[in-house]
Amino acid sequence: MNPSMIQMIKMKTLVFLALMFLQDATAVTHSLKYFLTASSGVPNFPEFVIVGLVDDVQVVHYDSETKRAEPKQDWMSRVKEDDPQYWERDNQILQGAHQIFKGNIDILKDRFNQTGGVHIAQKMYGCQWDDQTGKTSGFSQDGYDGEDFIVFDLKTETWIAPTPEAVITKHKWDNNKALITQWKNYQTQICPDWLKKQVDYGSSSLLRTDLPKVSLLQKSPSSPVTCHTTGFYPNAAMMFWRKGGEEHHEGVTLGEILPNNDGSFQTSVDLKAPGASEDWGSYECVFQLSGVEDIVTKLDKAVIRTNEGKTGIRSDGEKPLDFTTIIIAAVAVLVVIIALAGFFIYKKMNPKRSPSPVSNPEVLEELNPGA
């Protein structure tokens, strides 16, 4: 496979995972998500990776090179206090999952009439819980080489095959009523229970509110003006441009909400540079975070940081981030995102123990219809 094709697959993978990773909800909606990746032909990258997130904060990581499930937040140590064998049990299960995923990539390559090359099988699953209404919802979605492959519809209790190559898997899994019952139980009972427990474990950090630092940035006088915010929490935020007191949409490009390495978030919104004759002071960048007063930053040429060396002022009075910092942060985010998705295996456990959210018993089905 030529380098351009490899790059295309990697970029499609990033888009697929980013869309899954950034499923947001309101300020009172919590989420538990697992992203799994199995890769073939990717140099210097583990064949199998799992990342778990609570409210989009990474809490667990596993890969086929370390063969260890590792907590990424100090408060996750409470899991072992409640269940001393939790991590060791998951290590054994996930080591087996690695082999399942390697087999599934071979099956998928055969389905798509492929030989060799770079290929990535992905999975995202988990649940959401509204702590005010008590409403819960679950999700499970598989992808291959950056495209949707098969999705579980909890409402109809059936599998959706968006590509012809997945139809054979859909028929197999639709006919496996035990599998459907187990997935329904996982999404409606096991996953929400674990989510509530982990929100309680990490309440001191997960339920906090952090205000952002805001910067006005511009590459050149004719480039769009970027209003960039970073360091806010939670991620249920909105940002937009306002002109003359009214929300302004013309020439505006809204960026995605992306995670920072410290568990906070960043986002940006671009505005086509106003003309020389326009009143720049009539434009305002507005950042909204539930429960706090709007943060409003007036568009002022004097505080915009540009490649021409203007210093600029942030809303907190500090020097703003430059474009190099933003690019580095974006690259770091992509590294985290690409380390997501795949296929997983479940193992029968002692019913006296609380089932692990990663390794819910007996739900895994291989893609091979003859398995």
Side-chain angles (χ1 to χ4, degrees):
M1 184 176 293
N2 61 50
S4 62
M5 182 62 70
I6 293 175
Q7 183 65 22
M8 182 186 69
I9 289 176
K10 288 183 176 180
M11 290 307 298
K12 289 172 73 176
T13 300
L14 290 176
V15 171
F16 174 84
L17 292 172
L19 289 174
M20 296 191 302
F21 183 72
L22 297 171
Q23 288 182 354
D24 289 344
T26 66
V28 296
T29 300
H30 303 283
S31 63
L32 174 59
K33 306 172 188 176
Y34 289 95
F35 298 86
L36 302 89
T37 298
S39 60
S40 173
V42 181
N44 303 316
F45 191 76
E47 286 186 328
F48 186 54
V49 178
I50 295 179
V51 175
L53 305 102
V54 174
D55 290 355
D56 290 337
V57 174
Q58 186 177 356
V59 297
V60 65
H61 175 274
Y62 173 93
D63 66 61
S64 54
E65 293 184 354
T66 64
K67 295 182 173 60
R68 303 293 303 175
E70 299 178 350
K72 290 298 181 179
Q73 301 295 327
D74 291 340
W75 48 264
M76 281 295 287
S77 62
R78 291 182 59 185
V79 174
K80 189 171 183 179
E81 293 175 8
D82 292 346
D83 182 356
Q85 301 303 315
Y86 176 90
W87 296 108
E88 187 59 36
R89 187 170 63 249
D90 274 0
N91 286 334
Q92 295 174 7
I93 294 167
L94 298 176
Q95 288 169 23
H98 175 205
Q99 301 307 314
I100 292 290
F101 271 85
K102 289 178 64 175
N104 279 335
I105 286 185
D106 290 338
I107 293 168
L108 288 166
K109 286 166 63 176
D110 183 64
R111 295 268 186 94
F112 286 86
N113 295 317
Q114 299 166 335
T115 58
V118 173
H119 299 286
I120 299 176
Q122 309 158 305
K123 188 176 189 71
M124 180 275 290
Y125 69 98
C127 59
Q128 293 179 327
W129 162 58
D130 188 313
D131 66 6
Q132 287 191 354
T133 66
K135 182 180 179 181
T136 64
S137 61
F139 42 86
S140 174
Q141 180 176 348
D142 292 80
Y144 180 61
D145 285 350
E147 301 288 348
D148 288 345
F149 182 75
I150 195 165
V151 179
F152 182 62
D153 187 336
L154 180 60
K155 292 182 179 179
T156 63
E157 299 183 19
T158 59
W159 296 86
I160 300 172
T163 178
E165 289 81 2
V167 172
I168 189 170
T169 298
K170 167 184 166 56
H171 290 327
K172 178 190 177 186
W173 291 359
D174 278 347
N175 290 327
N176 190 335
K177 301 306 179 184
L179 175 68
I180 290 175
T181 298
Q182 289 159 0
W183 262 117
K184 181 179 179 181
N185 182 55
Y186 177 79
Q187 293 187 4
T188 60
Q189 299 294 329
I190 295 174
C191 184
D193 287 348
W194 262 100
L195 172 55
K196 295 172 187 177
K197 181 181 293 187
Q198 293 193 21
V199 168
D200 178 60
Y201 287 162
S203 59
S204 61
S205 59
L206 294 174
L207 301 181
R208 73 186 191 274
T209 298
D210 295 343
L211 298 181
K213 298 176 181 179
V214 184
S215 305
L216 294 178
L217 309 168
Q218 190 178 31
K219 292 181 180 179
S220 70
S222 60
S223 300
V225 178
T226 297
C227 184
H228 179 261
T229 63
T230 186
F232 61 88
Y233 190 93
N235 66 344
M238 291 182 60
M239 192 163 68
F240 55 89
W241 282 100
R242 195 162 61 192
K243 181 181 181 182
E246 300 291 333
E247 192 167 339
H248 181 71
H249 300 285
E250 184 178 354
V252 172
T253 303
L254 182 64
E256 294 179 336
I257 296 178
L258 301 173
N260 292 321
N261 290 334
D262 63 359
S264 66
F265 296 90
Q266 63 172 297
T267 190
S268 63
V269 59
D270 292 347
L271 170 70
K272 182 180 179 181
S277 62
E278 289 188 66
D279 179 12
W280 283 50
S282 65
Y283 290 90
E284 299 172 326
C285 173
V286 182
F287 178 84
Q288 295 180 335
L289 190 65
S290 179
V292 302
E293 186 176 350
D294 291 356
I295 298 175
V296 180
T297 306
K298 283 189 173 295
L299 180 56
D300 183 348
K301 290 183 180 181
V303 300
I304 296 176
R305 181 171 181 115
T306 73
N307 285 347
E308 296 178 348
K310 290 185 180 179
T311 304
I313 300 173
R314 287 197 310 215
S315 62
D316 60 354
E318 296 182 14
K319 183 178 178 181
L321 295 173
D322 59 24
F323 283 105
T324 301
T325 303
I326 295 172
I327 291 171
I328 292 173
V331 171
V333 168
L334 291 181
V335 170
V336 171
I337 291 175
I338 200 172
L340 308 176
F343 221 107
F344 64 100
I345 185 171
Y346 293 106
K347 181 180 179 181
K348 189 77 173 180
M349 297 182 293
N350 188 330
K352 293 182 180 180
R353 298 190 181 106
S354 298
S356 160
V358 177
S359 53
N360 175 40
E362 299 183 5
V363 172
L364 176 68
E365 280 289 311
E366 294 181 83
L367 299 178
N368 190 346

